[in-house]
Amino acid sequence: MTNTRIPAVRPRPAPPSAPADRPATRDRRTRLLAALFLAPTVVGIVVFTVVPIVGSVVLSLFHWNVIDSPRFAGAANYRELAGDSTVLVSFRNTLVFMVLAVALQLLVALVLALAVNGRMPVWLRSVFRSAFFFPLVLSAASISVVMKYLFNQDFGVVNWLLGLVGVAPVPWLTSENGAMATVILVYVWQQFGFSFLLFVGGLNNVPKEVHEAAALDGATGLRKHLHITLPLLSPTLLVASVVGIINALQVFEQPYVLTDGGPGDSTRTVVMVIYETAFEQLRFGTASAVGVLLFVLIMAVTALQFRLSRRFVHYQ
Amino acid sequence: MSQATLTPSRLRYSLGPWARITALAVCALLTLGPVIWTVSTSLRTPAESFELPPRIIPTDPTAESYRGVFDQIDVWLLALNSTLVTALIAVGQMITAGLAGYAFARLEFRFKKPLFALVLATMMVPLQVTIVPVFLVLKSMSLTDTLLGLIVPAFPTAFGTFLMRQYFLGMPKDLGEAAMLDGAGPWRIFRSVYAPLAAPGLAIVGVLAFNYHWNEFFRPLILETSSQNYTLPLGLVSLQGNLGTGSISVVLAGVVLSMIPAVAVFVVGQRPLREGITSAGVNR
């Protein structure tokens, strides 16, 4: 009758770093080896990531077209962006894309991972797993070339299929909403396998006994998933959404190949604007300013997400 | 009392296994459908490529479109460029990630923590944000419009380094200690004890790198201006531009050609690829 709790098993604290490690620290040969081993990675990261980050900020304060020498511009590039409707629209498009694409991707991946996790022959499970993972190995650019034909309004297979069930031809790539929907669908089609694999891995880590105990208590179907599987899967859900969001904010290939940003600016994304401003219009300062803003956006969204997740993520 | 488990809510929410498997099969077909359509359309004559309803098995299969691709673009050159770039990056990443991962996992030196934090932090910085200065850095090294300009910046890999560090951390410490007692120096311990054990981890890094860089589009688009430096994805998109909507089957034949190595890696490297992706979620 007393509610005896089984004491939680705590991992023993790691022993304080053994004194035997100390002489190794002073070993000159070890330090030399470490420096040699790290040099390619650290030098590469400094030259191709750290310096360019600083460079982006500095460049964003200059007018520069590569040909003439750079002129200091102060905040002029940023003021220019605030009045540039294409840039503003591209940020709105990217945010809309991010929310819809990530939500759809996580939902599809989660439902399919739960379904694949159910009872079925082992060979069949691995067939499904491979099928859902397959689009990930293909190139986004060439897949978008294929999808451009499939989503063609007049001779595309998608509208032909919809026609079979009596739906009138949809202007997938030629209307503003249709174009955004197509870009999202093509992106999700290729990307959901990533979250799917994360979820399958996460579900394998959920102990069987938890489900059995829940079943004994009468939890079934949807309720079991909502109250037991999801909380246990929440760390994986966090990683999948963080990676999903960072990737979605960088979307480029799909809108570039499918719609070239159109119709109008309806599918122009931030990265497309960076590309066009820098490498087509040679406005390197302005492009850097857009890059800095994208960086700030990514950091802000990720920080917000970690903040929110504190309330929903449960670690076992 | 086993009947008692058949409560109404269970009937409503849990699909029977057959319904679930059928639904999964439909989803799998939707996932693979575009690829199947691509292969089958590439085997039709250009004139028949618009055909609706799409027939999965071409009535009269022909390699005519494949010949068309070779006429339009220099497939061999593009494939050679892609292979060179991808293979060198994959090998380069295996080396840099293997060395750095080992240093972070098993060697003691000053500034280890801040250096590792720096490497991890760069995983958060997408290339698209820094592409303008990266382009300028490469220009100052005269590496724009060269294949080397694609290869060298891709050598350091934050994710690969992280993965290899986890991998080395998972190996027993006593192996190295035993070798040290036998008089092996730090290099010998790495070379003869730990490096050979790291092969599966390195395979993950290599397969991930191959998959990513074989399909890469953004950096080649910006860096390579002369068509003799194009990689396959760039060549394909330009193939589509040359032809307009004239002959789908030729464009799709090009897509199929570029898919072959990716599919080969999928078949051979499926497990390392999957493990690489899964560990992105589980190890953190």
Side-chain angles (χ1 to χ4, degrees), chain A residues 21 24-25 27 29-31 33-34 36-38 40-42 44-53 55-56 59 64 66 112 114-116 118-121 124 128-143 145-150 154-157 160 189 192 194 197-198 201-202 205 220-222 236 239 243 246 250 252-253 256-257 271 274-275 278-279 284 287-288 291-292 294-295 298-299 302, chain B residues 5 7 9-10 13-14 17 20-21 24-25 27-28 30-32 34-35 37-38 50 52-54 96-97 99-100 102-104 107-110 115 118-119 122 124-139 141 152-153 156-158 161 173 184-187 190 211 214-218 221-222 233 236-237 240 244-245 247-248 251-252 255 258-259 262-263 266 270 273-274 277-278 280-282 284:
Chain A
D21 277 0
T25 315
D27 183 346
R29 280 199 300 171
T30 306
R31 285 202 314 250
L33 197 71
L36 284 175
F37 276 19
L38 287 177
T41 297
V42 171
I45 281 176
V46 167
V47 173
F48 293 110
T49 307
V50 178
V51 168
I53 291 174
S56 281
L59 262 175
W64 196 32
V66 197
L112 291 179
L114 286 172
V116 166
R119 195 179 266 276
M120 72 175 78
L124 194 58
F128 284 140
R129 237 177 17 186
S130 304
F132 297 141
F133 158 59
F134 184 70
L136 270 183
V137 305
L138 305 175
S139 117
S142 47
I143 274 315
V145 168
V146 171
M147 293 291 190
K148 208 171 162 175
Y149 296 122
L150 290 177
D154 303 317
F155 59 82
V157 175
W160 174 78
W189 175 81
F192 80 88
F194 188 87
L197 285 184
L198 293 186
N205 285 352
T220 48
L222 195 61
T236 313
V239 174
V243 176
I246 293 178
Q250 301 163 48
F252 177 78
E253 279 93 339
Y256 180 81
V257 174
V271 173
I274 294 177
Y275 168 73
F279 301 103
F284 278 67
S288 297
V292 171
L294 177 60
F295 187 53
I298 291 177
M299 289 298 142
T302 314
Chain B
T5 52
T7 56
S9 75
R10 160 162 277 208
Y13 293 123
S14 70
R20 183 166 44 79
I21 289 172
L24 277 170
C27 293
L30 280 175
T31 311
L32 297 180
V35 181
W37 177 81
T38 306
F50 286 92
L52 282 175
T96 60
L99 296 178
Y102 182 78
F104 282 128
L107 299 178
E108 293 301 326
F109 52 92
R110 249 181 303 171
L115 276 177
L118 174 83
V119 172
T122 59
M124 291 280 296
V125 186
L127 166 87
Q128 283 83 348
V129 165
T130 53
I131 188 67
V132 173
V134 165
F135 177 82
L136 296 172
V137 168
L138 289 171
K139 204 173 159 64
M141 297 172 168
V152 174
T157 157
T161 303
K173 256 189 163 161
W187 166 254
F190 169 72
N211 182 239
W214 181 266
N215 295 326
E216 201 181 12
F217 183 72
F218 188 66
L221 176 71
I222 283 164
L236 281 178
V237 172
Q240 185 215 14
T245 48
S247 41
I248 301 181
V251 178
L252 295 182
V255 171
S258 80
M259 275 179 188
V263 173
F266 173 77
Q270 188 175 173
L273 252 174
R274 236 179 20 221
I277 291 168
T278 313
V282 183
R284 241 173 245 185

Side-chain angles (χ1 to χ4, degrees), chain B:
Chain B
M1 290 306 280
S2 61
Q3 309 297 332
T5 52
L6 278 176
T7 56
S9 75
R10 160 162 277 208
L11 280 178
R12 218 174 318 142
Y13 293 123
S14 70
L15 297 169
W18 285 110
R20 183 166 44 79
I21 289 172
T22 312
L24 277 170
V26 171
C27 293
L29 205 64
L30 280 175
T31 311
L32 297 180
V35 181
I36 297 168
W37 177 81
T38 306
V39 175
S40 104
T41 308
S42 75
L43 291 171
R44 295 201 194 115
T45 60
E48 282 170 1
S49 49
F50 286 92
E51 191 182 348
L52 282 175
R55 233 167 285 159
I56 299 298
I57 314 286
T59 38
D60 188 15
T62 163
E64 193 183 325
S65 304
Y66 288 85
R67 230 169 293 129
V69 182
F70 282 86
D71 290 344
Q72 302 273 342
I73 53 175
D74 195 342
V75 180
W76 294 117
L77 181 71
L78 296 183
L80 181 70
N81 286 347
S82 274
T83 309
L84 209 63
V85 169
T86 313
L88 286 176
I89 291 176
V91 172
Q93 285 200 357
M94 285 159 77
I95 295 172
T96 60
L99 296 178
Y102 182 78
F104 282 128
R106 283 282 180 263
L107 299 178
E108 293 301 326
F109 52 92
R110 249 181 303 171
F111 305 125
K112 183 162 147 173
K113 276 191 180 151
L115 276 177
F116 188 61
L118 174 83
V119 172
L120 280 193
T122 59
M123 278 205 287
M124 291 280 296
V125 186
L127 166 87
Q128 283 83 348
V129 165
T130 53
I131 188 67
V132 173
V134 165
F135 177 82
L136 296 172
V137 168
L138 289 171
K139 204 173 159 64
S140 72
M141 297 172 168
S142 319
L143 285 180
T144 46
D145 203 15
T146 65
L147 292 180
L148 211 56
L150 277 179
I151 296 167
V152 174
F155 278 161
T157 157
F159 181 67
T161 303
F162 174 75
L163 210 107
M164 287 315 296
R165 173 182 173 267
Q166 301 297 99
Y167 209 84
F168 282 115
L169 281 177
M171 293 179 191
K173 256 189 163 161
D174 352 357
L175 289 179
E177 276 157 16
M180 198 165 71
L181 289 179
D182 287 346
W187 166 254
R188 265 306 286 282
I189 295 175
F190 169 72
R191 180 68 200 84
S192 314
V193 180
Y194 287 112
L197 291 174
L202 291 174
I204 296 180
V205 173
V207 169
L208 281 176
F210 191 96
N211 182 239
Y212 182 84
H213 289 282
W214 181 266
N215 295 326
E216 201 181 12
F217 183 72
F218 188 66
R219 284 193 319 137
L221 176 71
I222 283 164
L223 283 176
E224 309 304 340
T225 41
S226 0
S227 57
Q228 83 261 17
N229 288 333
Y230 278 11
T231 52
L232 273 169
L234 266 188
L236 281 178
V237 172
S238 75
L239 181 70
Q240 185 215 14
N242 292 341
L243 296 167
T245 48
S247 41
I248 301 181
S249 58
V250 176
V251 178
L252 295 182
V255 171
V256 173
L257 287 176
S258 80
M259 275 179 188
I260 292 170
V263 173
V265 167
F266 173 77
V267 173
V268 179
Q270 188 175 173
R271 221 176 120 193
L273 252 174
R274 236 179 20 221
E275 280 166 5
I277 291 168
T278 313
S279 66
V282 183
N283 278 345
R284 241 173 245 185

Side-chain angles (χ1 to χ4, degrees), chain A residues 207-285:
Chain A
K208 279 249 164 4
E209 305 83 65
V210 178
H211 273 153
E212 281 158 13
L216 283 180
D217 289 346
T220 48
L222 195 61
R223 278 191 48 186
K224 189 176 75 182
H225 287 322
L226 274 183
H227 296 296
I228 295 154
T229 316
L230 269 191
L232 286 172
L233 203 58
S234 56
T236 313
L237 212 56
L238 176 67
V239 174
S241 60
V242 169
V243 176
I245 282 177
I246 293 178
N247 284 340
L249 288 172
Q250 301 163 48
V251 58
F252 177 78
E253 279 93 339
Q254 289 86 355
Y256 180 81
V257 174
L258 282 168
T259 62
D260 198 19
D265 282 333
S266 60
T267 52
R268 205 170 303 280
T269 65
V270 177
V271 173
M272 283 182 77
V273 169
I274 294 177
Y275 168 73
E276 289 162 354
T277 315
F279 301 103
E280 285 176 0
Q281 304 162 9
L282 297 182
R283 289 154 64 208
F284 278 67

